Amino acid sequence: MNSAQITRAPRAPQAITGATAARRHVQRTGVIARQLEQIAPGTVRVRIVPVWTTREGAGRTRKWVVLDGANGPAAADRAQHRAALGLITRMHPGTDWTKPQSYDARTGELTLDTPCAPAELTAEAAR
């Protein structure tokens, strides 16, 4: 008498799907990095922070953009900051922009930009 047995799903389709997703991520990261390089040369990280402003009695939220290079802030003017903001927000449409975000052009990761204390202060507080 035959009994029904659960068979394992083949892993080859999962590997192909994973490799395809990884290839798309690498390509997308490269495209964004090249475009950031054209917008503001030397940009490695884009930090976007929502800021509440009040002007003429009306309040509204704006986005503060910081372009960081490998050795500190990248030299950029207002138009370059605006272009970098537009690029990052278009490439990540489902992101919650009411929270501070940080995009790393080397890894292609957009992460929540939480403030943290330097290691020296953290070590002293633990004593």
Side-chain angles (χ1 to χ4, degrees):
M1 184 159 147
N2 292 338
S3 60
Q5 294 180 351
I6 299 173
T7 59
R8 229 185 210 187
R11 291 188 182 184
Q14 293 173 348
I16 292 170
T17 304
T20 303
R23 211 171 12 260
R24 274 196 314 262
H25 176 72
V26 168
Q27 289 173 346
R28 178 184 168 132
T29 301
V31 167
I32 295 173
R34 282 191 300 276
Q35 290 179 354
L36 279 174
E37 185 65 27
Q38 289 177 349
I39 291 170
T43 301
V44 174
R45 183 185 309 149
V46 180
R47 299 174 76 188
I48 301 169
V49 180
V51 179
W52 179 259
T53 59
T54 304
R55 184 177 286 180
E56 299 171 1
R60 67 185 213 185
T61 303
R62 305 192 108 192
K63 293 178 182 77
W64 184 266
V65 179
V66 178
L67 302 177
D68 290 332
N71 298 325
D77 61 4
R78 186 176 187 166
Q80 290 169 317
H81 283 86
R82 187 173 291 159
L85 172 66
L87 172 67
I88 300 300
T89 55
R90 280 191 308 276
M91 295 304 265
H92 299 280
T95 304
D96 181 13
W97 295 109
T98 61
K99 298 177 182 171
Q101 303 287 338
S102 178
Y103 178 77
D104 189 347
R106 296 169 288 194
T107 62
E109 293 181 7
L110 182 71
T111 57
L112 189 62
D113 192 17
T114 56
C116 59
E120 298 86 27
L121 293 177
T122 307
E124 287 179 21
R127 289 184 206 171

